[in-house]
Amino acid sequence: EDISIGELDSHPGIDIAIAGRYGAMIVDRNGVKQSQIQYEFEAEQKKIIIFNVPKTRTMLGDVRVIDIEGDGTCEYLARGSLDGAAVFSHQGKRLWSYGAFTDEKTSIDDLAAGDLNGDGVSEFISSWDAIELFDRHGRKGWAQPLDGGLYQMEIVDVDGDRKNEIIHSSAGGLTVRDGLGKILKEVEMPFYLSHFHLCAKPDEQQSHILVVEDDNVWLVDFKGNVVKKFAAPLTRFPNPRKPAKDDIFYLSEIDVYTAKGVWVKLKADQPPFLAVVTEFAALDRSVLYIYSTEG
């Protein structure tokens, strides 16, 4: 689900944290395993006829490696699906969870982590009929109304003033909010924005929005300006599944659902390359692209 490199475990030196759907491991730079944990998922009892059947809440969506306190020991964030979103400790203990599907309410849209008040400790922003702030312990702060749903939200510095803002995709565009959730601006994008990834060049603080859309890899700033645009073949494939009778939702082509990217210097005296990997929602396939700065 996610790979992160840095001071992420208690022992000295650079660590590599590898977060999977059900657990995570820490390895050193030579690939030697330092530790491995399983997430302690929430369990509930479901009554089926006369029997109480245990059900484990494992459908929690995309898992990210985070460092809540900035202390060099990582935690894990499951960003949300039918069983809601959850935050797990370095040892895999469930710290808190939120937003599971109920008969009265759909499941959470997204949960993102980042420092909004400048104290070095991450807060959490959720979208579930409203945009809500939580502290590191899951205690709710403010809430702001939300007109319509959203696909994804992140906490990032959009203007280089070293203060983070909240951004999210909704109605195909980008919305920027301040640390209290109030809308600062709404930005029109050169494509329909849904899921996106943040990446920055080596030695640069400013991130850009990366999206694979319309057979291209796009890098766009927070004002909607195109920074880079690279051709990306193999962003859509014929659907290998034949349509069922009267299947009104059948798609003859399947295109990219989401993508991740990172700038990397392979040699110190050469410009960086951009590596992008795509994911398809209903196709067991990914495509890896490597671009020079010239595209």
Side-chain angles (χ1 to χ4, degrees):
E1 297 280 312
D2 193 21
I3 297 175
S4 185
I5 301 172
E7 287 280 357
L8 301 170
D9 204 1
S10 57
H11 66 275
I14 296 298
D15 309 296
I16 302 173
I18 306 168
R21 188 173 298 275
Y22 301 103
M25 70 166 61
I26 306 289
V27 301
D28 66 16
R29 288 195 291 183
N30 297 314
V32 177
K33 184 166 66 175
Q34 306 294 316
S35 61
Q36 183 170 349
I37 56 98
Q38 288 184 313
Y39 310 135
E40 296 178 6
F41 295 104
E42 183 179 6
E44 61 175 339
Q45 295 291 325
K46 299 286 286 187
K47 195 173 186 68
I48 300 178
I49 311 177
I50 62 172
F51 301 102
N52 287 322
V53 179
K55 179 184 181 297
T56 305
R57 294 183 180 271
T58 60
M59 298 183 66
L60 298 175
D62 188 31
V63 179
R64 299 279 180 92
V65 180
I66 62 174
D67 185 352
I68 297 174
E69 299 89 359
D71 59 358
T73 299
C74 68
E75 291 82 26
Y76 304 97
L77 166 66
R79 300 191 58 152
S81 187
L82 288 177
D83 286 334
V87 182
F88 299 97
S89 73
H90 188 69
Q91 293 77 29
K93 180 182 178 182
R94 183 175 60 87
L95 300 176
W96 59 279
S97 55
Y98 185 63
F101 176 87
T102 68
D103 292 336
E104 295 78 28
K105 202 172 183 181
T106 60
S107 55
I108 194 172
D109 295 319
D110 198 11
L111 183 69
D115 183 10
L116 282 171
N117 58 15
D119 66 352
V121 177
S122 291
E123 286 75 42
F124 294 86
I125 299 293
S126 78
S127 167
W128 199 30
D129 292 354
I131 293 181
E132 301 168 307
L133 173 80
F134 295 87
D135 69 10
R136 54 174 292 192
H137 303 292
R139 295 179 296 221
K140 187 181 293 188
W142 52 255
Q144 294 285 357
L146 178 66
D147 294 329
L150 59 79
Y151 291 98
Q152 181 181 341
M153 54 197 323
E154 299 292 347
I155 298 174
V156 64
D157 180 6
V158 303
D159 50 17
D161 64 354
R162 298 186 180 181
K163 294 181 180 179
N164 286 333
E165 287 80 29
I166 302 163
I167 64 171
H168 62 82
S169 55
S170 57
L174 179 73
T175 300
V176 180
R177 297 175 181 259
D178 65 15
L180 297 175
K182 297 178 181 178
I183 294 177
L184 296 175
K185 59 182 177 179
E186 293 181 337
V187 181
E188 185 176 344
M189 304 298 280
F191 41 74
Y192 189 91
L193 182 66
S194 54
H195 296 281
F196 59 91
H197 185 72
L198 298 176
C199 68
K201 278 189 175 181
D203 306 321
E204 289 187 9
Q205 296 295 320
Q206 193 66 45
S207 295
H208 294 129
I209 293 172
L210 183 146
V211 172
V212 177
E213 188 72 35
D214 299 329
D215 299 320
N216 288 286
V217 170
W218 303 76
L219 285 169
V220 182
D221 66 18
F222 298 110
K223 297 179 180 179
N225 301 314
V226 178
V227 178
K228 295 283 186 180
K229 180 182 176 183
F230 299 147
L234 304 179
T235 60
R236 62 188 74 189
F237 292 94
N239 191 341
R241 182 179 66 83
K242 300 301 180 183
K245 187 178 180 180
D246 301 326
D247 186 354
I248 61 173
F249 299 106
Y250 178 79
L251 298 174
S252 60
E253 285 189 329
I254 297 175
D255 56 8
V256 171
Y257 169 67
T258 186
K260 294 182 179 181
V262 61
W263 288 98
V264 56
K265 275 196 170 187
L266 301 180
K267 293 185 178 180
D269 59 346
Q270 293 184 1
F273 291 88
L274 177 65
V276 179
V277 63
T278 60
E279 182 180 344
F280 298 81
L283 198 64
D284 190 17
R285 175 176 294 179
S286 289
V287 179
L288 173 65
Y289 302 87
I290 308 291
Y291 294 101
S292 68
T293 52
E294 296 78 26

